[in-house]
Amino acid sequence: MEDKQLEILKIATREFAVNGYYKAKTDTIAEEAKVSKGLVFHYFKSKKNLYIETIREAVKTLEATFDESEIPQDSLVELFDYSLKKKFEIEQTHQDQMQLMLEVYSNLDHLPEELNDEIAEFIEKVRNDNYEMVARIVRRLPMKNGVREEDVISLVVSLFNQLEAEAKESVKGQEVKELSFFDKQVSDAKRKISILEDGFLRVNKNFSR
């Protein structure tokens, strides 16, 4: 891909991320990329095609940020620590791509039909990857008789999602310079994950008070 095309995609990613598909303007994209509007359409044919390409490039860029060899394999707490800090790091280094994908998720019912299958496939891949990261560790744990592996994985994934949402809320309005900012969230995760691992009932289930 030529340098001019890459620059147009970079500017278009920001414009679509901020304004969405329908409010974004190709005039603005051309102006900020310092090219003619005609060159934008020469490369991408239409606004819809440009939007599709920005999403495809955003997906490829975000997928490339994960290194399989870095992902913890033996501890749910370490996995949460890695996942939380990695996602925060990506949000800082790939802000436009992350914002674009959030905009896409928020408007799935109003996007060009050509994108529906691709976006659905990407969302499903993210869900499956998250599930598998948790599942690899859960499958190694010595579970009690009668406990279903799928139920445990589902509970852990739900807990991770909740804790990550709480961590994002804690970041709002604050400048985070060090990943140690998330130590409290990781400590909370450790406490709550231990409840899932050990249970919360006494071994002697005597409910009399």
Side-chain angles (χ1 to χ4, degrees):
M1 195 175 287
E2 296 179 19
D3 289 344
K4 284 291 184 186
Q5 286 175 281
L6 292 172
E7 183 63 17
I8 292 168
L9 279 175
K10 177 183 174 182
I11 300 299
T13 299
R14 187 180 308 131
E15 175 70 6
F16 286 127
V18 172
N19 296 307
Y21 174 66
Y22 293 103
K23 291 183 180 179
K25 298 184 182 300
T26 50
D27 287 325
T28 301
I29 293 168
E31 182 180 344
E32 293 190 11
K34 296 180 172 56
V35 299
S36 68
K37 188 174 177 180
L39 189 61
V40 173
F41 286 111
H42 168 73
Y43 284 134
F44 299 100
K45 309 305 179 188
S46 68
K47 178 182 175 180
K48 183 164 66 176
N49 284 342
L50 176 58
Y51 185 64
I52 290 170
E53 284 305 312
T54 61
I55 293 174
R56 286 174 178 164
E57 285 300 309
V59 168
K60 283 197 293 185
T61 299
L62 294 174
E63 286 182 338
T65 59
F66 282 92
D67 182 348
E68 186 76 19
S69 65
E70 293 180 348
I71 300 173
Q73 304 288 321
D74 302 309
S75 164
L76 289 172
V77 174
E78 287 178 11
L79 177 60
F80 177 78
D81 186 5
Y82 166 81
S83 176
L84 176 64
K85 292 175 181 177
K86 186 68 175 178
K87 287 176 181 176
F88 173 77
E89 179 187 307
I90 292 169
E91 286 179 357
Q92 299 302 301
T93 57
H94 297 83
Q95 197 169 45
D96 291 339
Q97 289 88 348
M98 287 294 289
Q99 191 173 344
L100 175 64
M101 295 313 299
L102 287 172
E103 194 279 328
V104 168
Y105 293 155
S106 300
N107 296 279
L108 289 174
D109 295 334
H110 307 289
L111 297 178
E113 289 183 10
E114 292 90 332
L115 273 175
N116 289 346
D117 290 342
E118 285 189 54
I119 293 173
E121 184 178 331
F122 174 69
I123 293 172
E124 187 64 21
K125 182 180 185 304
V126 170
R127 285 176 181 156
N128 288 340
D129 287 349
N130 289 339
Y131 184 92
E132 272 306 310
M133 282 193 296
V134 170
R136 277 197 296 267
I137 295 175
V138 169
R139 289 175 187 136
R140 298 180 182 186
L141 300 176
M143 277 190 267
K144 296 176 182 176
N145 291 336
V147 175
R148 288 182 37 163
E149 191 176 85
E150 294 82 0
D151 292 339
V152 175
I153 296 169
S154 177
L155 284 169
V156 175
V157 170
S158 297
L159 177 59
F160 276 23
N161 290 340
Q162 177 195 333
L163 291 169
E164 285 181 7
E166 291 172 0
K168 284 183 179 179
E169 191 65 28
S170 72
V171 168
K172 285 184 178 178
Q174 299 197 54
E175 185 179 359
V176 180
K177 295 182 179 179
E178 300 290 339
L179 290 177
S180 58
F181 175 89
F182 295 106
D183 286 351
K184 181 183 182 305
Q185 282 78 15
V186 175
S187 177
D188 288 347
K190 183 175 182 179
R191 188 179 69 253
K192 291 175 182 178
I193 289 169
S194 71
I195 293 173
L196 276 181
E197 290 180 339
D198 302 330
F200 66 92
L201 296 179
R202 294 190 298 273
V203 175
N204 179 13
K205 298 180 180 133
N206 181 2
F207 296 106
S208 62
R209 293 183 183 274

Coordinates of all heavy atoms in Angstrom, one line a residue, residues 1 16 22 34 39 43-44 64 70 84 86 91 108-110 123 137 145 156 159 208:
M1 N 0.8 -1.2 0.0 CA 0.0 0.0 0.0 C 0.9 1.2 0.0 O 1.9 1.3 0.7 CB -0.9 0.0 1.2 CG -2.1 1.0 1.1 SD -3.2 0.9 2.5 CE -4.1 -0.7 2.2
F16 N -13.6 8.6 11.3 CA -14.7 7.7 11.5 C -14.9 7.4 13.0 O -16.0 7.1 13.5 CB -14.5 6.4 10.7 CG -14.7 6.5 9.3 CD1 -13.8 6.2 8.4 CD2 -15.9 7.1 8.8 CE1 -14.0 6.3 7.0 CE2 -16.2 7.2 7.4 CZ -15.2 6.8 6.5
Y22 N -21.8 7.9 9.2 CA -22.6 8.8 8.5 C -22.2 10.3 8.7 O -22.4 11.1 7.7 CB -24.1 8.6 9.0 CG -24.6 7.2 8.5 CD1 -24.7 6.2 9.4 CD2 -24.9 7.0 7.2 CE1 -25.1 4.9 9.0 CE2 -25.3 5.7 6.8 CZ -25.4 4.7 7.7 OH -25.8 3.5 7.3
K34 N -3.9 16.1 3.4 CA -3.2 16.9 2.5 C -3.2 16.3 1.1 O -2.2 16.3 0.4 CB -1.8 17.2 2.9 CG -1.8 18.0 4.2 CD -0.3 18.3 4.7 CE -0.3 19.3 5.8 NZ -1.0 18.9 7.0
L39 N -8.3 12.1 -5.1 CA -7.3 11.1 -4.9 C -7.8 10.1 -3.9 O -7.6 8.8 -4.0 CB -6.0 11.7 -4.4 CG -4.8 10.7 -4.3 CD1 -4.5 10.1 -5.6 CD2 -3.6 11.4 -3.7
Y43 N -8.2 6.0 -4.8 CA -7.7 4.9 -4.1 C -8.8 4.0 -3.5 O -8.7 2.8 -3.5 CB -6.8 5.3 -2.9 CG -5.5 5.8 -3.2 CD1 -5.0 7.0 -2.7 CD2 -4.7 5.1 -4.1 CE1 -3.7 7.5 -3.1 CE2 -3.4 5.5 -4.4 CZ -2.9 6.7 -3.9 OH -1.7 7.2 -4.2
F44 N -9.9 4.6 -3.0 CA -10.9 3.8 -2.3 C -12.3 3.8 -2.9 O -13.2 3.1 -2.3 CB -11.0 4.4 -0.8 CG -9.7 4.2 -0.1 CD1 -8.8 5.4 0.0 CD2 -9.2 3.0 0.4 CE1 -7.6 5.3 0.7 CE2 -8.0 2.9 1.1 CZ -7.2 4.0 1.2
A64 N -2.5 -7.8 15.9 CA -1.0 -7.9 15.9 C -0.4 -7.5 17.2 O 0.8 -7.8 17.4 CB -0.4 -7.1 14.7
E70 N 3.3 -14.3 25.4 CA 3.3 -13.5 26.6 C 2.2 -13.9 27.6 O 2.2 -13.5 28.7 CB 3.1 -12.0 26.2 CG 4.3 -11.4 25.5 CD 4.0 -9.9 25.2 OE1 2.8 -9.5 25.3 OE2 4.9 -9.2 24.8
L84 N -5.7 -7.0 31.7 CA -6.1 -5.6 32.1 C -5.0 -4.6 31.6 O -5.3 -3.6 30.9 CB -6.3 -5.5 33.6 CG -6.6 -4.1 34.1 CD1 -7.9 -3.6 33.6 CD2 -6.6 -4.1 35.7
K86 N -2.6 -5.1 29.4 CA -2.4 -5.1 28.0 C -3.4 -4.3 27.3 O -3.1 -3.5 26.3 CB -2.4 -6.5 27.5 CG -2.0 -6.7 26.0 CD -0.6 -6.4 25.8 CE -0.2 -6.7 24.3 NZ 1.2 -6.3 24.1
E91 N -5.0 0.7 24.4 CA -5.9 1.8 24.3 C -5.1 3.1 24.3 O -5.5 4.1 23.7 CB -6.9 1.9 25.5 CG -8.0 0.9 25.4 CD -8.9 0.9 26.6 OE1 -8.7 1.7 27.6 OE2 -9.9 0.1 26.6
L108 N -23.8 -1.5 15.2 CA -23.8 -2.7 14.4 C -25.0 -2.8 13.5 O -24.9 -3.3 12.4 CB -23.7 -3.9 15.3 CG -22.4 -4.2 16.0 CD1 -22.4 -5.4 16.9 CD2 -21.3 -4.4 14.9
D109 N -26.1 -2.3 13.9 CA -27.4 -2.4 13.1 C -27.5 -1.3 12.0 O -28.4 -1.4 11.2 CB -28.6 -2.2 14.0 CG -28.7 -3.4 15.0 OD1 -28.2 -4.5 14.8 OD2 -29.3 -3.2 16.1
H110 N -26.5 -0.4 12.0 CA -26.6 0.7 11.0 C -25.4 0.7 10.1 O -25.2 1.8 9.4 CB -26.8 2.0 11.7 CG -27.9 2.0 12.7 ND1 -29.2 2.0 12.3 CD2 -27.9 2.0 14.1 CE1 -30.0 2.0 13.4 NE2 -29.2 2.0 14.5
I123 N -15.8 -10.1 16.1 CA -16.3 -10.1 17.5 C -16.3 -11.5 18.1 O -15.9 -11.7 19.2 CB -17.7 -9.5 17.5 CG1 -17.7 -8.0 17.2 CG2 -18.4 -9.7 18.9 CD1 -19.1 -7.4 17.0
I137 N -6.3 -22.3 31.5 CA -5.9 -22.3 32.9 C -6.9 -23.1 33.7 O -6.5 -24.0 34.5 CB -5.8 -20.9 33.5 CG1 -4.7 -20.2 32.7 CG2 -5.6 -20.9 35.0 CD1 -4.5 -18.7 33.1
N145 N -15.7 -32.8 42.3 CA -16.6 -33.7 41.5 C -17.9 -33.0 41.3 O -18.4 -32.4 42.2 CB -16.8 -35.0 42.3 CG -15.5 -35.8 42.3 OD1 -14.6 -35.7 41.5 ND2 -15.4 -36.7 43.4
V156 N -15.7 -17.2 35.4 CA -14.4 -16.5 35.4 C -14.4 -15.4 34.3 O -14.0 -14.2 34.6 CB -13.2 -17.4 35.2 CG1 -11.9 -16.6 35.1 CG2 -13.1 -18.4 36.4
L159 N -16.6 -12.6 35.5 CA -15.9 -11.8 36.6 C -14.8 -10.9 35.9 O -14.7 -9.7 36.3 CB -15.2 -12.7 37.6 CG -14.4 -12.1 38.7 CD1 -15.3 -11.1 39.5 CD2 -13.8 -13.2 39.6
S208 N -26.8 -23.2 60.9 CA -27.5 -22.7 62.1 C -26.7 -21.6 62.7 O -25.5 -21.6 62.7 CB -27.7 -23.9 63.2 OG -26.4 -24.3 63.5

